[in-house]
Amino acid sequence: AITTPDNELARRAAQDPQSLNPTDYETWYCTAYVSAICHQIQEVVRDGVAKPVRQVAESEGTILNKTTFLMTLITILSAIGSALAISNLITASVIERSQELGLLKALGALNAQIILFVLTEVMLIGFAGGVVGYFLGIGFAQVIGRTVFGSGIEIAQMVIPIVSAILFFVVLFGSVPAIRYLLKLKPTEVLHGK
């Protein structure tokens, strides 16, 4: 049965339902507490004894908590790996385009303008990758859901802003080494091929 977690009322009723006043008894009886369900089963099945098997629910809860922790850890490690990959790609791109960026600096562009230019480009590419990844992820989730569980997986709309925020910060943190390289970039050395 799908039950309501026990509270102080459920614990009192589990010890002795007759000790409750009529209002508390009605609240307890009409709520899906484990003790209330067992009491109602015993009312119907006079010669039977109904007892909750708490070990099953507790072990399921433990497995669910460990799975949630594992998924959180995988997400954090994936975000760190993504930030490192983005960092390598952006830094390599900036190094390849160092003459172009050095020329911009030599022509009077400020560091902030060049950084904004590079970050805008990176964010647009990150946004496009995020959109493609989101739809690929939904597709794979549906395939896995139908294959493993025999039903589709409901898409939570709250995930979109959360993933967007994570994507933004991963791309931003991945851009830090490239920005540091840009700040140290000297137009005279780059334009002379040093």
Side-chain angles (χ1 to χ4, degrees), residues 64 67 133:
L64 184 61
T67 304

Side-chain angles (χ1 to χ4, degrees), residues 80-192:
I80 291 170
S82 298
L84 290 172
I86 289 169
S87 174
N88 288 337
L89 288 171
I90 296 170
T91 304
S93 173
V94 167
I95 290 171
E96 286 176 11
R97 297 168 54 193
S98 60
Q99 286 188 335
E100 172 190 333
L101 298 172
L103 182 60
L104 286 172
K105 274 189 167 186
L107 291 173
L110 300 173
N111 281 335
Q113 291 172 320
I114 296 172
I115 290 170
L116 185 63
F117 171 73
V118 170
L119 280 178
T120 302
E121 182 180 319
V122 169
M123 288 295 175
L124 288 173
I125 293 170
F127 176 75
V131 169
V132 170
Y134 176 76
F135 287 110
L136 283 175
I138 287 174
F140 283 128
Q142 295 301 329
V143 168
I144 291 170
R146 296 214 185 279
T147 305
V148 176
F149 302 111
S151 67
I153 295 175
E154 185 178 329
I155 300 164
Q157 297 301 322
M158 187 60 189
V159 171
I160 296 172
I162 293 171
V163 170
S164 298
I166 291 171
L167 174 68
F168 175 79
F169 286 111
V170 165
V171 170
L172 189 64
F173 288 131
S175 304
V176 170
I179 291 170
R180 290 179 64 200
Y181 177 80
L182 278 173
L183 292 174
K184 294 178 186 175
L185 189 69
K186 294 181 180 168
T188 53
E189 292 179 0
V190 173
L191 295 174
H192 288 299

